[in-house]
Amino acid sequence: MTTDSARSGFVTFVGRPNVGKSTLTNALVGEKVAITSDKPQTTRRAIRGIVNRPTGQLVIVDTPGLHKPRTLLGQRLNDLVEQVLGDVDVIGFCVPATEKVGPGDRRIAESLDGYARAKKVAIVTKTDAAARDQVTERLLEVDALREDWAAVIPLSALTRDQLDVLTDELLAMMPEGPALYPEGVVTDESDEDRIAEIIREAALDGVRDELPHSIAVTVDDVEGREDGSLIDIHASIVVERDSQKAIIIGRKGSRLKDVGMRARAQIEPLVGSKVFLKLHVRVAKEWQRDPKQLGRLGF
């Protein structure tokens, strides 16, 4: 960092599932570190994205959306969010400009009372998809939820409108101190974790109903060939039932092939090499409710 009074610290964005937290994280970092999907509860881990500016460094902890848990996995995701909220310097509460503030938003806003040390910022997301009067209405609704907002900011991660305003506000709220990560680092996620998430994102595309929650991915082996021409990656897509396995594979394997093609297109720039990606689909019965299976899958 270039100044003696540089600031650095942690921020997390909270809100209902699918309000744009991961999209906002990626836009601020300037690189895709968190997968995105229109399916609720896409994010399942605390993923750190790092934003470097001349005045300091923001470490964004992208977390799952807070929700009423229906499975052991859901409860563990909520516990993860609560743990993160207790450790960060700033909490950004996100509400989409396109939807009225509802009971779920109010419940989350009230729950922030439990995290007294963190400053709170209200963020109205997806302004590019809303009319001006919608944005104004949302700002008024959000402002009324709490009296202690340090700032209320409308923005669009898609068009990057107001992103610099948010970055400047967040940095100003961070404690003084040196950078927590080296300058070129954008995430502390391992390549294997990022590969697994890219595959899961591709598998989520186009599936419906309960299937998104039932999909997990493990990377079983990554090995470069001796001649340096390719990296072989073997990964498993895990589902809960045989019927789900059939959906993921598709007719004559067409869907699985499509998942592999789309995932490979993102994995190759990440690892800097051509990739041979072998996907296997396996069934782990009711893994979302089984403590042992959850442990094996990293939850």
Side-chain angles (χ1 to χ4, degrees):
M1 301 294 120
T2 57
T3 62
D4 293 333
S5 58
R7 295 176 180 274
S8 65
F10 294 85
V11 57
T12 193
F13 301 125
V14 299
R16 288 178 289 106
N18 214 21
V19 295
K21 300 180 294 293
S22 297
T23 303
L24 178 56
T25 297
N26 290 337
L28 289 167
V29 173
E31 184 175 317
K32 185 170 182 171
V33 295
I35 67 168
T36 58
S37 164
D38 59 1
K39 310 292 184 294
Q41 277 112 64
T42 296
T43 304
R44 286 186 178 158
R45 293 203 307 276
I47 293 168
R48 290 179 179 83
I50 296 122
V51 181
N52 288 300
R53 292 288 183 272
T55 51
Q57 186 180 76
L58 292 174
V59 181
I60 305 169
V61 190
D62 187 38
T63 60
L66 283 162
H67 62 293
K68 283 185 179 173
R70 293 176 302 159
T71 61
L72 183 57
L73 172 65
Q75 185 56 58
R76 289 190 178 177
L77 296 185
N78 272 1
D79 292 346
L80 173 66
V81 178
E82 288 187 18
Q83 182 187 332
V84 169
L85 290 173
D87 293 338
V88 296
D89 302 290
V90 179
I91 298 169
F93 170 72
C94 297
V95 171
T98 49
E99 299 172 36
K100 284 185 175 294
V101 167
D105 300 306
R106 292 188 191 92
R107 191 170 64 248
I108 294 167
E110 284 171 18
S111 75
L112 301 184
D113 288 344
Y115 310 99
R117 72 175 282 270
K119 297 177 176 123
K120 283 91 180 172
V121 175
I123 303 165
V124 173
T125 61
K126 305 185 183 182
T127 56
D128 59 290
R132 189 176 292 183
D133 57 344
Q134 269 184 302
V135 176
T136 303
E137 184 184 347
R138 215 58 64 241
L139 287 167
L140 291 170
E141 286 177 358
V142 169
D143 191 41
L145 288 175
R146 296 185 65 89
E147 292 182 356
D148 63 346
W149 296 126
V152 180
I153 300 169
L155 57 77
S156 167
L158 207 62
T159 65
R160 305 192 63 81
D161 184 42
Q162 295 263 99
L163 280 189
D164 285 345
V165 173
L166 177 65
T167 305
D168 291 344
E169 289 277 1
L170 292 175
L171 274 170
M173 295 175 200
M174 293 297 156
E176 289 191 5
L180 301 162
Y181 289 89
E183 185 97 19
V185 175
V186 294
T187 183
D188 63 357
E189 288 278 283
S190 71
D191 279 355
E192 284 197 13
D193 285 341
R194 293 179 79 179
I195 289 165
E197 287 289 87
I198 287 167
I199 295 166
R200 188 163 66 90
E201 181 182 50
L204 282 171
D205 190 33
V207 298
R208 59 187 187 283
D209 303 329
E210 287 302 300
L211 187 50
H213 306 288
S214 300
I215 296 172
V217 174
T218 62
V219 173
D220 307 317
D221 189 42
V222 178
E223 195 168 343
R225 296 194 183 176
E226 283 185 15
D227 61 3
S229 62
L230 274 178
I231 294 176
D232 290 301
I233 298 173
H234 293 259
S236 297
I237 299 174
V238 184
V239 292
E240 293 186 299
R241 293 189 286 281
D242 290 323
S243 59
Q244 296 170 339
K245 179 176 179 177
I247 292 169
I248 292 291
I249 293 171
R251 193 159 179 266
K252 295 183 177 176
S254 59
R255 197 167 184 288
L256 189 62
K257 184 180 178 184
D258 184 54
V259 168
M261 280 172 55
R262 279 183 290 122
R264 196 173 66 245
Q266 291 196 58
I267 293 167
E268 287 181 344
L270 175 66
V271 299
S273 169
K274 288 284 184 189
V275 163
F276 172 77
L277 178 61
K278 179 68 175 173
L279 296 178
H280 168 69
V281 185
R282 66 180 174 87
V283 176
K285 301 277 187 200
E286 302 295 334
W287 68 260
Q288 291 185 82
R289 293 173 168 81
D290 181 342
K292 283 184 181 172
Q293 299 270 25
L294 284 170
R296 286 190 202 112
L297 291 168
F299 299 110

